[in-house]
Amino acid sequence: MAAKPNVIKPIISKIYCSSSQAVLVVRRRPHVINGGGFVVTDCSQKVAFRVDGCGILGTKDEMILRDGDGDALLLIRRKGAMVEALSIYRKWKGYTLDYEGSQDQLVFCLKEPNSCLARTHAIRISTKARQNKDWDFEIKGYFPDKDCSIVDSKGNTMAQIGVKKELMASKDLYHVVVTPGMDHAFVIGVITILDYIYGESTRC
């Protein structure tokens, strides 16, 4: 029987989807030198994405995902803390940016458990394309250990975050294996939020 073709799943854009598996390397930037954030390179060591954290932007709970040329792709921000005070979730939203760098269109929303009532709940992500579903993706595993994955609502692994043996010497390096057809920019956008939630390089 013929192999089932890979389904392209553009969330940010189809130009960030590949028909083959991709391995990306994330290198965290030190706050004291570059204001935090991280750089993502592909298998040829070419910069694919950059992330500016609040140490660069000067705004709490806000990050920007850029492409390899430095052009802004996503503005990522958290809903107002006062509004969320009584909610069992914190909500992070990713927006595309227009040519003037202003917030444009909502692309995805990530829900982070915010109370003991939701402590056992997974971090889940919904996209603008969802139809009659509460979520499209969720996080399995524990990001600070760099042993987690992004899975879809059917349980299929879309991206795996880990540390290769050759990268174990540095705590500032880890890799992301992205499934064929999955949007790389979306995956890095989700990782950007996880990095902030767990107080790593994007946090002030």
Side-chain angles (χ1 to χ4, degrees):
M1 186 172 69
K4 186 178 179 179
N6 297 314
V7 178
I8 301 298
K9 298 181 179 180
I11 298 172
I12 309 300
S13 172
K14 64 182 180 181
I15 67 173
Y16 302 113
C17 301
S18 172
S19 59
S20 58
Q21 176 180 282
V23 178
L24 304 174
V25 174
V26 178
R27 179 188 295 273
R28 295 186 292 189
R29 298 184 301 206
H31 286 275
V32 293
I33 299 175
N34 297 309
F38 55 84
V39 176
V40 182
T41 54
D42 59 21
C43 59
S44 62
Q45 299 186 342
K46 179 181 177 181
V47 174
F49 303 101
R50 294 182 175 89
V51 173
D52 293 342
C54 67
I56 296 174
L57 303 178
T59 305
K60 187 179 179 182
D61 298 339
E62 186 170 301
M63 294 86 73
I64 288 181
L65 172 65
R66 302 181 184 277
D67 63 17
D69 295 324
D71 295 327
L73 298 177
L74 277 180
L75 169 64
I76 300 170
R77 56 169 41 138
R78 202 184 98 187
K79 192 175 180 180
M82 292 297 292
V83 176
E84 294 180 333
L86 300 177
S87 173
I88 63 171
Y89 292 104
R90 294 187 182 98
K91 290 184 179 181
W92 292 86
K93 295 185 177 182
Y95 300 89
T96 55
L97 295 168
D98 62 22
Y99 291 109
E100 296 180 349
S102 299
Q103 178 179 311
D104 188 13
Q105 184 177 14
L106 177 65
V107 179
F108 70 87
C109 177
L110 181 147
K111 294 171 69 175
E112 170 198 357
N114 187 34
S115 76
C116 59
L117 297 175
R119 192 169 295 166
T120 59
H121 294 194
I123 293 175
R124 288 180 169 172
I125 307 106
S126 58
T127 69
K128 63 181 181 181
R130 67 189 175 97
Q131 295 179 352
N132 301 318
K133 298 198 301 286
D134 291 329
W135 57 279
D136 298 288
F137 304 96
E138 69 176 4
I139 306 301
K140 295 283 190 181
Y142 189 53
F143 179 76
D145 291 340
K146 302 302 175 287
D147 183 17
C148 67
S149 56
I150 300 172
V151 301
D152 66 14
S153 57
K154 296 180 180 179
N156 300 310
T157 298
M158 297 289 101
Q160 181 74 44
I161 300 163
V163 179
K164 288 187 174 182
K165 290 181 179 180
E166 58 267 31
L167 302 180
M168 291 181 70
S170 174
K171 65 179 181 179
D172 293 324
L173 289 172
Y174 58 93
H175 73 270
V176 184
V177 180
V178 185
T179 300
M182 188 59 187
D183 191 316
H184 299 183
F186 168 72
V187 169
I188 299 303
V190 171
I191 291 174
T192 298
I193 301 173
L194 295 177
D195 181 282
Y196 192 98
I197 288 173
Y198 292 104
E200 298 194 359
S201 61
T202 54
R203 195 103 177 226
C204 295

